Amino acid sequence: MTASVEVGSRIEDFALPDETGTTRTLTDLLADGPVVLFFYPAALSAGCTAEACHFRDLAAEFAAVGARPVGISGDSVERQQEFSGKHTLGMPLLSDADGAVRELFGVKRGFSLAPTKRATFVIAQDRTVLEVVRSELRMNTHADRALAALRAHQG
């Protein structure tokens, strides 16, 4: 039975390499404010590119609420680096090659072309989940709803 992370869940700390190979922990990522952790199926695919670029395009708005988007998928560090560079994403992209963190969040699928469910988790500094966005097809809804949740939380 895979864990299911819902609003109000507390997230355990984890560590994964980012697109530069630097190990990042959730604690470090949360040091400056909330984190919007968005899981995507595959770097450089059309849908994931649209989703990540929308997060990128809203960077100033996320910064205004003190939050930071962080992408995560099962892609290798090298592929994340290529994805980030090609689209100048400017945010950490974590490589969850063994699927442990995807399992933790309940977004790991069995054998399939898309081993990761597209889902976004807004995590407060105390590691509590403020919002969960699950949509496989509407790419922009992830960043939009995350931002709305952060603004509501701030107010």
Side-chain angles (χ1 to χ4, degrees), residues 56-96:
R56 177 200 66 200
D57 295 345
L58 293 174
E61 293 175 59
F62 279 107
V65 290
R68 159 152 83 165
V70 177
I72 183 167
S73 73
D75 293 289
S76 67
V77 167
E78 295 73 26
R79 195 147 171 88
Q80 300 289 37
Q81 192 166 29
E82 185 186 348
F83 189 31
S84 181
K86 186 171 178 186
H87 300 288
T88 325
L89 295 177
M91 65 189 82
L93 296 181
L94 306 181
S95 172
D96 181 31

Side-chain angles (χ1 to χ4, degrees):
M1 177 75 192
T2 313
S4 185
V5 172
E6 301 301 335
V7 172
S9 297
R10 262 183 80 83
I11 305 301
E12 288 173 46
D13 201 15
F14 61 80
L16 287 174
D18 68 11
E19 76 287 355
T20 67
T22 306
T23 299
R24 302 283 197 118
T25 64
L26 182 59
T27 301
D28 293 343
L29 292 167
L30 287 168
D32 300 325
V35 163
V36 179
L37 199 59
F38 65 101
F39 289 86
Y40 54 92
L44 300 166
S45 66
C48 299
T49 297
E51 180 184 9
C53 289
H54 191 56
F55 272 104
R56 177 200 66 200
D57 295 345
L58 293 174
E61 293 175 59
F62 279 107
V65 290
R68 159 152 83 165
V70 177
I72 183 167
S73 73
D75 293 289
S76 67
V77 167
E78 295 73 26
R79 195 147 171 88
Q80 300 289 37
Q81 192 166 29
E82 185 186 348
F83 189 31
S84 181
K86 186 171 178 186
H87 300 288
T88 325
L89 295 177
M91 65 189 82
L93 296 181
L94 306 181
S95 172
D96 181 31
D98 68 359
V101 175
R102 282 172 293 151
E103 190 116 4
L104 178 73
F105 280 87
V107 298
K108 190 174 177 213
R109 285 202 181 106
F111 299 98
S112 114
L113 290 171
T116 307
K117 294 177 189 169
R118 191 183 306 282
T120 297
F121 300 87
V122 179
I123 306 169
Q125 279 188 283
D126 65 359
R127 302 213 303 251
T128 303
V129 176
L130 301 176
E131 176 70 289
V132 180
V133 183
R134 300 180 203 275
S135 175
E136 294 288 336
L137 302 174
R138 292 193 318 214
M139 306 311 161
N140 288 358
T141 200
H142 290 269
D144 294 348
R145 282 191 40 204
L147 207 47
L150 287 160
R151 288 179 176 141
H153 183 67
Q154 208 181 25

